[in-house]
């Protein structure tokens, strides 16, 4: 079943208004994102907890800019929560989160900072809809285990990382229906050379672009742009006004040319058990 079409507030006129909408819908009012996942609001923190292969971590922290003792207590409480659950977790820190030294406090508590990315967003319907695929390439929707295995293969080749957890997540979503994730694989003569997924957030204005990967040898041919366009079209057709992405430095110039706005930075702070 398709997600409920969200309301249509006035289009934000600047990145700050769009960021406020994002914060409200996807962080403060976040919902579970898959089977076995739950969202908990504990004091100033909104966190997600689910299976070990799912994303577990802090989505929002409404901490006071000058109450550092409360910040340290909140960090310690999340560490205790996830250690009790036996789960590694991520504190997703945004550039505008308070207090200003929260990143330093997370590191002091034992979390490890990853590479910062840029949160970018655009109106889905306003993005180019007819970006051509490289010659000989076709896009195929992922609807079964064979397609999931192709996505995992592309991610392993494109990013050099173990992507088995992604395969399990996609299988979870396929088992519960198509309403929250749409994945696609790019095939060249039957060989998977690119893949990406769209995470749909029912009853919100946003859909998220994730995992856009292209194997070496197929980069620089426009496949990444075509995957963005394809997913934006799906998002618009399903009633989501905006698409957002955590953009790496290599993706940011492409997305900016397509019409995406830069909203803030986001840095993952991870904690193992």
């Amino acid at each position: 079943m398709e997600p409920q079409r969200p309301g249509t507030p006035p289009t934000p006129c600047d990145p700050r208004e769009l960021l406020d909408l994002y914060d409200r819908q996807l962080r403060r009012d976040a919902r579970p994102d898959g089977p076995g996942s739950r969202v908990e609001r504990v004091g100033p923190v909104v966190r997600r907890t689910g299976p070990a292969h799912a994303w577990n971590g802090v989505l929002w922290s409404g901490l006071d800019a000058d109450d550092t003792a409360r910040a340290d207590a909140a960090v310690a409480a999340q560490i205790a929560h996830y250690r009790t659950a036996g789960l590694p977790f991520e504190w997703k820190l945004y550039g505008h989160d308070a207090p200003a030294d929260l990143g330093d406090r997370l590191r002091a508590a034992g979390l490890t900072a990853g590479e910062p990315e840029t949160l970018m967003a655009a109106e889905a319907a306003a993005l180019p809809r007819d970006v051509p695929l490289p010659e000989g390439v076709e896009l195929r929707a992922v609807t079964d285990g064979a397609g999931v295995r192709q996505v995992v293969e592309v991610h392993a080749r494109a990013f050099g990382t173990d992507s088995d957890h992604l395969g399990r997540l996609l299988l979870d979503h396929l088992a519960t229906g198509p309403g929250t994730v749409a994945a696609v694989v790019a095939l060249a003569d039957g060989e998977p050379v690119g893949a990406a997924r769209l995470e749909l957030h029912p009853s919100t204005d946003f859909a998220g672009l994730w995992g856009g990967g292209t194997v070496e040898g197929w980069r620089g041919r426009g496949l990444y742009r075509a995957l963005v366009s394809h997913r934006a079209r799906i998002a618009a057709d399903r009633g989501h006004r905006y698409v957002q992405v955590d953009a790496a430095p290599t993706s940011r110039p492409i997305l900016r040319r397509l019409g995406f706005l830069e909203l803030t930075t986001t840095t993952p702070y991870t904690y193992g058990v």
Side-chain angles (χ1 to χ4, degrees), residues 167-186:
R168 294 185 65 186
L169 280 175
L170 287 176
L171 289 172
D172 282 350
H173 285 287
L174 288 176
T176 55
T180 56
V181 171
V184 62
V185 62

Side-chain angles (χ1 to χ4, degrees), residues 53-146:
H53 61 275
W55 187 89
N56 291 283
V58 174
L59 294 160
W60 166 263
S61 55
L63 297 165
D64 298 329
D66 55 356
D67 193 346
T68 54
R70 191 183 190 206
D72 288 338
V75 172
Q78 306 323 305
I79 292 173
H81 166 74
Y82 288 105
R83 290 186 65 180
T84 298
L87 295 169
F89 78 98
E90 175 184 323
W91 189 301
K92 195 169 176 66
L93 181 67
Y94 291 80
H96 58 295
D97 288 347
D101 65 349
L102 183 53
D104 294 335
R105 294 179 180 279
L106 290 169
R107 283 190 292 268
L111 283 81
T112 302
E115 293 296 322
E117 296 179 315
T118 302
L119 174 65
M120 304 181 73
E123 286 199 56
L127 293 174
R129 297 179 67 89
D130 299 315
V131 176
L133 288 163
E135 185 176 355
V137 175
E138 63 171 335
L139 298 184
R140 184 174 299 172
V142 174
T143 59
D144 56 21

Side-chain angles (χ1 to χ4, degrees), residues 175-199:
T176 55
T180 56
V181 171
V184 62
V185 62
L187 301 172
D189 295 324
E191 177 191 0
V193 296
R197 73 186 189 277
L198 176 73
E199 295 189 357

